[in-house]
Amino acid sequence: MLRFERQFYSDEVKHIVGIDEAGRGPLAGPVVAAAVVFPPSFRNADIDDSKKLTAKKRMELFELIKKKALGYGIAFASAQEIDELNIYAATKLAMRRAIEQIKVPYELVLTDAMPFKDLPAPTIPVIKGDAKALNIAAASILAKVTRDLYMDDLQKQYPAFSFADHKGYGTKAHMEELEKNGPIEGVHRKSYKPVAKFYVEQLTLF
């Protein structure tokens, strides 16, 4: 059971927010961040790093986390924002948007290795935090499930791309789809090299 937070609870620190993201690596779609705060007494042995869980288990925990959390937030930074800002800055923007949705008072923020200096409470970046801290792991689940559902819906809009399968990552199938169809404006990340080359090729034609 993840218990990293427990060392910080005290008379002064009663509520801790965990923050994590999903989707920094894909060639398409948004990066999604989530923030979660549980009651100090909350325990759940099933909540873990989202990457260690099956899709079915993540979905079960997705609903449980939303029900049991004192507060949670889920937010996006779009492909366009990733291109304009860079993925690191866009991830921080999504995280800020997520924590802004937390309406209960909190005294500490734990992130999955992402430093912040200007959040409403002191912040500790935790290396591999989604495998150590309950609240960060819960946030990783909310972010991962939300992004996966988004990519599932994106395939319905653009059936030439199997987004429901590869979730926008640079798999062999995705690269073949890019070669055949070209990137989708507003969906693919132009600043990522496998996508950027298509725009360079377009320019060389003129």
Side-chain angles (χ1 to χ4, degrees), residues 71-93:
Y72 69 89
I74 303 172
F76 292 59
S78 67
Q80 296 98 314
E81 289 172 320
I82 292 168
D83 290 335
E84 291 169 4
L85 300 173
N86 72 51
I87 185 58
Y88 182 80
T91 299
K92 295 188 82 167
L93 176 62

Side-chain angles (χ1 to χ4, degrees), residues 20-22 38 44 46-67 74 130 136-149 151-152 163-167 169:
D20 201 4
E21 53 72 30
F38 285 124
N44 187 294
D46 291 332
I47 294 175
D48 203 344
D49 174 2
S50 64
K51 297 183 290 295
K52 298 178 181 179
L53 305 172
T54 65
K56 180 181 179 182
K57 191 63 176 179
R58 284 195 298 264
M59 184 58 72
E60 292 173 1
L61 291 170
F62 181 77
E63 298 301 334
L64 178 105
I65 290 164
K66 292 191 295 180
K67 181 178 179 180
I74 303 172
D130 52 4
I136 298 177
S140 81
I141 292 167
L142 293 192
K144 171 66 172 167
V145 171
T146 299
R147 189 177 190 282
D148 284 355
L149 292 173
M151 299 307 290
D152 292 349
F163 288 127
D165 296 324
H166 55 61
K167 308 303 184 189
Y169 283 88

Side-chain angles (χ1 to χ4, degrees), residues 18-205:
I19 306 179
D20 201 4
E21 53 72 30
R24 291 179 71 170
L27 308 180
V31 61
V32 180
V36 177
V37 53
F38 285 124
S41 61
F42 180 76
R43 304 285 187 271
N44 187 294
D46 291 332
I47 294 175
D48 203 344
D49 174 2
S50 64
K51 297 183 290 295
K52 298 178 181 179
L53 305 172
T54 65
K56 180 181 179 182
K57 191 63 176 179
R58 284 195 298 264
M59 184 58 72
E60 292 173 1
L61 291 170
F62 181 77
E63 298 301 334
L64 178 105
I65 290 164
K66 292 191 295 180
K67 181 178 179 180
K68 297 295 185 179
L70 292 175
Y72 69 89
I74 303 172
F76 292 59
S78 67
Q80 296 98 314
E81 289 172 320
I82 292 168
D83 290 335
E84 291 169 4
L85 300 173
N86 72 51
I87 185 58
Y88 182 80
T91 299
K92 295 188 82 167
L93 176 62
M95 288 180 167
R96 290 181 193 280
R97 288 170 173 167
I99 201 168
E100 285 172 359
Q101 297 173 31
I102 302 290
K103 302 305 181 186
V104 298
Y106 55 90
E107 296 78 38
L108 183 66
V109 177
L110 302 179
T111 73
D112 187 20
M114 180 66 79
F116 282 94
K117 294 183 178 179
D118 54 355
L119 291 181
T123 304
I124 300 174
V126 183
I127 303 299
K128 296 184 178 179
D130 52 4
K132 298 176 181 177
L134 181 71
N135 293 12
I136 298 177
S140 81
I141 292 167
L142 293 192
K144 171 66 172 167
V145 171
T146 299
R147 189 177 190 282
D148 284 355
L149 292 173
Y150 180 94
M151 299 307 290
D152 292 349
D153 287 341
L154 205 59
Q155 181 169 326
K156 296 173 184 176
Q157 298 178 52
Y158 303 101
F161 286 86
S162 50
F163 288 127
D165 296 324
H166 55 61
K167 308 303 184 189
Y169 283 88
T171 64
K172 180 181 178 182
H174 192 183
M175 298 309 298
E176 290 173 351
E177 291 162 357
L178 272 170
E179 290 289 346
K180 180 179 179 180
N181 305 299
I184 303 169
E185 190 72 25
V187 172
H188 282 96
R189 302 174 183 179
K190 296 180 182 180
S191 55
Y192 280 42
K193 286 184 180 180
V195 179
K197 75 167 193 168
F198 290 94
Y199 292 94
V200 172
E201 289 170 359
Q202 286 178 3
L203 289 173
T204 60
L205 295 175

